[in-house]
Amino acid sequence: MIKGGPKKDLQEKQLTILISQPKPETEKSPYFDLAKKFNVRLDFHPFIRVEGVPGKDFRKQKVDIITYTAVIFTSRNSVDHFFRVCEELKVKVSQDCKYFCITEAVALYLQKFILYRKRKVFYGADGSTKSLLEVMNKHRENEKFLFPSSDSQKKDIEEWLKANKCEYATASLYKTVSTDVKDVLAKTEYDMIVFFSPSGVKSLFENMPKFKQNGTHIGAFGPTTSAAVEEAGLRLDVKAPAPQAPSMVAALEQFLQGLGKK
C-alpha cells in the first residue's frame, strides 16, 4: 500500500498526500495553492461520514433542551445537529441561551442559526479544549450546560463538568460511521495520510486492520486526533495547529519546505 521512503527519494518524486476529508468545493481553497506551489498530488477522500440521530430517538434520552442555559459546541457538526433536532421537535431555544465554542470558527458558524451577540457567544483563545474550559470556568456556577455530542465526544470536557460539579447533561445527536476507502488505499502508495478526527484514525484500521506505517508520513489536526494517532502506535510527523502553523495547510507547507520541495 503506502511505502514512503528516505528524504532524498521524497525530494525527487511527486509526493502523494491523502487528505481524509471531502474535496473543497471551491478552487480557491489553499490546498490547491499548496499542491501547485510544491508540485504535490492531493487526493481527498473522507474516512468518515456523519449520521444524525432522529428527533424521535433523541426523545428517548429524556433531555429537555429548554431547561439548559448554555450549550457547548466542539464542531460545526454539533451545531448543525443541535438546531436540526430543535427544529424537528419544535423546540424554541431561549434568546438568553449562552454558547461556548471550541474555536472562533465554530462560534461564527452559529450566525447561520442565531442572532450573533458576543455577550452570549464565547470561545477559547487558541482552539484547544483547555482554553475553552478556561472560558467556561468563569461561568460554571451560573449555568446549566448541555453538551451536544457524537458517539466520539470529547471525554475531557465531560470529565471537567463532572469534576467541577456543574449542572450538565450530554445529548447524543449524531454518530460517526467509517466509510469504505479500501480501494482508495489499495490503488495508490500514498506518502502521507492526513487525519482530522480520532474517528478517521479508527476508520483507517477498520478498512485496513493490518496497516503498517513503514515510511508513510502521518499528519493530524487537533490534539485529540494527534493523541489518537499516537495511541494507535503510529509516528506523527505533521501536527496542527501549532504556534507557526495554525492550519493544516500551513503545517503541510512547513513539512514540504523541510523536505526541500520547491
Side-chain angles (χ1 to χ4, degrees):
M1 176 214 163
I2 306 170
K3 298 177 181 178
K7 185 173 179 180
K8 182 178 179 181
D9 292 343
L10 292 177
Q11 288 175 328
E12 295 174 350
K13 67 179 237 182
Q14 183 185 44
L15 297 187
T16 54
I17 301 176
L18 177 57
I19 308 294
S20 61
Q21 282 190 329
K23 185 176 180 178
E25 295 179 356
T26 171
E27 292 299 321
K28 294 182 179 180
S29 168
Y31 277 110
F32 298 127
D33 294 334
L34 181 80
K36 185 176 181 180
K37 179 177 180 180
F38 292 98
N39 187 32
V40 297
R41 170 182 159 185
L42 299 182
D43 287 349
F44 297 86
H45 293 281
F47 276 39
I48 59 173
R49 69 178 187 274
V50 175
E51 294 183 354
V53 173
K56 62 180 182 178
D57 292 338
F58 172 74
R59 287 186 187 277
K60 299 174 184 177
Q61 298 177 41
K62 297 182 179 179
V63 174
D64 188 357
I65 292 174
I66 62 174
T67 64
Y68 294 88
T69 62
V71 186
I72 305 166
F73 290 126
T74 56
S75 69
R76 291 185 180 186
N77 279 327
S78 62
V79 176
D80 282 333
H81 289 282
F82 173 75
F83 287 102
R84 173 188 59 78
V85 167
C86 287
E87 184 176 356
E88 285 184 26
L89 300 182
K90 295 180 170 54
V91 172
K92 188 173 182 180
V93 182
S94 170
Q95 294 287 335
D96 297 322
C97 185
K98 294 185 175 67
Y99 301 95
F100 294 86
C101 305
I102 189 73
T103 63
E104 183 179 11
V106 172
L108 292 173
Y109 186 67
L110 276 169
Q111 293 178 102
K112 182 177 177 181
F113 302 95
I114 67 168
L115 181 62
Y116 188 96
R117 294 200 300 271
K118 288 186 177 180
R119 62 184 176 84
K120 71 173 185 177
V121 180
F122 308 88
Y123 52 87
D126 60 7
S128 68
T129 301
K130 180 182 178 182
S131 65
L132 172 61
L133 295 178
E134 288 172 352
V135 174
M136 288 170 55
N137 191 53
K138 299 174 184 177
H139 300 265
R140 64 184 173 86
E141 294 182 359
N142 301 315
E143 305 298 340
K144 187 176 179 181
F145 295 97
L146 180 61
F147 184 19
S149 65
S150 71
D151 52 347
S152 57
Q153 68 185 43
K154 290 179 177 292
K155 299 295 185 184
D156 43 1
I157 292 179
E158 186 174 0
E159 289 170 359
W160 182 90
L161 290 165
K162 189 180 297 184
N164 285 276
K165 299 179 179 178
C166 298
E167 279 196 86
Y168 80 95
T170 59
S172 181
L173 301 181
Y174 60 100
K175 59 183 179 179
T176 54
V177 180
S178 297
T179 55
D180 188 345
V181 290
K182 296 183 185 68
D183 287 346
V184 173
L185 296 173
K187 288 178 180 177
T188 304
E189 295 182 351
Y190 287 101
D191 297 296
M192 177 183 289
I193 308 177
V194 180
F195 295 101
F196 296 85
S197 71
S199 299
V201 180
K202 179 183 177 183
S203 177
L204 170 66
F205 287 96
E206 288 183 352
N207 277 277
M208 297 193 69
K210 296 181 179 180
F211 172 77
K212 300 294 182 183
Q213 184 173 6
N214 298 323
T216 308
H217 295 279
I218 299 292
F221 185 85
T224 57
T225 308
S226 297
V229 167
E230 293 173 339
E231 286 169 7
L234 301 176
R235 183 189 68 255
L236 183 59
D237 302 291
V238 179
K239 185 177 181 179
Q244 302 303 318
S247 68
M248 180 49 70
V249 170
L252 288 173
E253 183 167 8
Q254 285 187 357
F255 173 79
L256 293 170
Q257 287 175 336
L259 292 178
K261 299 288 291 182
K262 301 297 182 183

